[in-house]
Amino acid sequence: GTITSGRLTEERIADLEKVGMVWGIYDDVWARGYVKAKAYFETHGDLKVPIRMKTEDSYALGRWIGNQRIARSGKFKHRALTQEQIRLLDAIGMIWGRSREERWNEFYSAAQAYYLKNGNLKMSPQYKTQDGACLGMWVYDQRRNWKSGKLSDLERCEKLAKIGMFES
């Protein structure tokens, strides 16, 4: 079953109802996003979707994933995730929040890739990766923290030095 014209196929509706889907005002929209997220999970094995990522048919999956995190936190007054929606997302590897460590490691990996490609980390603070991550600002912040003595984690300092972070 596929989605056409923003509507779920009868097969998809039946599949969702089998697992206890309760329908409401946002459910068709939610279910469409869920189908896209599940397809991504089946292809990639995770839901580590960049925030600006769009599917081949231009569906803003990254934004949808981010909105699910916000909805679960209760910050959307007009809608909250049901326990069933949370369960369905958990079943396909939803990451509800990233730790600071995970975020740092993701940016470090992007900086390392940039360094391997360019031989340096010379970029403007406005530089963004292809998937929209603000790598330039992260590099700027690491250097600023190092200069001010706020970057005290020795392991991180060593990793950053290896990719030319502190070279002028």
Side-chain angles (χ1 to χ4, degrees):
T2 59
I3 298 172
T4 55
S5 305
R7 303 305 254 169
L8 290 173
T9 64
E10 293 301 318
E11 179 186 347
R12 287 286 187 190
I13 291 169
D15 287 345
L16 288 167
E17 286 175 346
K18 279 181 204 166
V19 295
M21 176 60 78
V22 178
W23 299 99
I25 190 166
Y26 296 105
D27 290 330
D28 194 43
V29 172
W30 188 90
R32 180 172 188 241
Y34 176 77
V35 168
K36 300 286 186 185
K38 188 172 183 191
Y40 183 94
F41 175 76
E42 288 168 355
T43 302
H44 298 90
D46 62 45
L47 281 184
K48 294 178 182 173
V49 180
I51 194 70
R52 294 174 187 241
M53 186 262 181
K54 292 187 178 184
T55 60
E56 286 181 14
D57 61 353
S58 299
Y59 184 81
L61 182 59
R63 185 177 303 142
W64 185 86
I65 293 286
N67 284 340
Q68 302 319 296
R69 290 186 186 113
I70 295 167
R72 184 172 184 187
S73 74
K75 291 180 183 168
F76 286 148
K77 290 181 173 67
H78 60 286
R79 67 183 156 171
L81 291 180
T82 66
Q83 288 305 308
E84 184 58 24
Q85 288 170 329
I86 292 168
R87 192 188 68 71
L88 288 167
L89 288 167
D90 283 343
I92 60 170
M94 180 66 169
I95 301 163
W96 292 108
R98 294 182 308 182
S99 70
R100 286 185 174 186
E101 185 76 15
E102 288 170 319
R103 285 182 52 84
W104 193 91
N105 287 330
E106 287 172 18
F107 274 106
Y108 175 78
S109 292
Q112 186 178 40
Y114 184 97
Y115 180 79
L116 292 172
K117 181 178 179 187
N118 300 290
N120 63 59
L121 289 178
K122 294 177 182 168
M123 64 184 78
S124 80
Q126 290 77 34
Y127 175 79
K128 293 184 180 183
T129 62
Q130 208 168 5
D131 64 6
C134 300
L135 183 60
M137 186 53 70
W138 184 83
V139 166
Y140 172 82
D141 286 343
Q142 300 308 301
R143 286 190 178 125
R144 188 186 64 207
N145 289 339
W146 178 67
K147 286 176 184 170
S148 68
K150 291 179 184 170
L151 190 61
S152 59
D153 184 317
L154 187 59
E155 185 181 342
R156 283 186 180 180
C157 287
E158 288 173 356
K159 287 173 99 173
L160 292 169
K162 284 180 186 173
I163 60 170
M165 179 66 75
F166 309 121
E167 296 169 10
S168 52

